Amino acid sequence: MKQEDRTGGRAILSPACENNKSFILEVLRRKFATRTQVLEIGSGTGQHACHFAEHMPWLLWQPSDLQENLPPLRRRLARYAGVNLLPAVPFDARQALAAAASRRTLHRK
């Protein structure tokens, strides 16, 4: 069953995200101080994306996740009022890694 069907149209809340977002934010503020864009792979509930975008307004934040996980993620992102959080896009890291590995082996002699 797809996540969208299990949520009944509600945004999902992850207690772990709520508990660790402040600690992660402190690290990201230092690491991303000179960056302007971020691609978040596997945005999940969107809690981190919203929190980090709110507290790092200089960053343009691009959430992504598997196609089947996008409906509840997009519901969460729709609640964010800032301008630095882009709409979630489908991204399957497994396919991206497989393509990168294939490209690397094609260039080997």
Side-chain angles (χ1 to χ4, degrees), residues 7-56:
T7 66
R10 299 179 315 271
I12 298 170
L13 180 69
S14 167
C17 285
E18 289 301 307
N19 292 338
N20 67 24
K21 66 185 182 184
S22 296
F23 302 107
I24 296 171
L25 176 61
E26 292 310 310
V27 173
L28 294 183
R29 275 189 171 141
R30 290 189 304 271
K31 298 291 185 182
F32 293 165
T34 61
R35 304 290 184 220
T36 58
Q37 299 179 8
V38 173
L39 169 62
E40 181 183 31
I41 298 172
S43 299
T45 65
Q47 289 166 254
H48 281 153
C50 291
H51 184 72
F52 301 154
E54 178 182 357
H55 289 90
M56 294 184 284

Side-chain angles (χ1 to χ4, degrees), residues 29-90:
R29 275 189 171 141
R30 290 189 304 271
K31 298 291 185 182
F32 293 165
T34 61
R35 304 290 184 220
T36 58
Q37 299 179 8
V38 173
L39 169 62
E40 181 183 31
I41 298 172
S43 299
T45 65
Q47 289 166 254
H48 281 153
C50 291
H51 184 72
F52 301 154
E54 178 182 357
H55 289 90
M56 294 184 284
W58 66 91
L59 282 176
L60 186 60
W61 201 272
Q62 176 64 74
S64 70
D65 212 312
L66 297 173
Q67 180 69 43
E68 60 267 22
N69 296 339
L70 291 179
L73 172 57
R74 287 177 172 155
R75 284 192 290 276
R76 164 95 50 210
L77 300 180
R79 299 176 181 178
Y80 181 72
V83 296
N84 63 323
L85 183 61
L86 297 171
V89 295

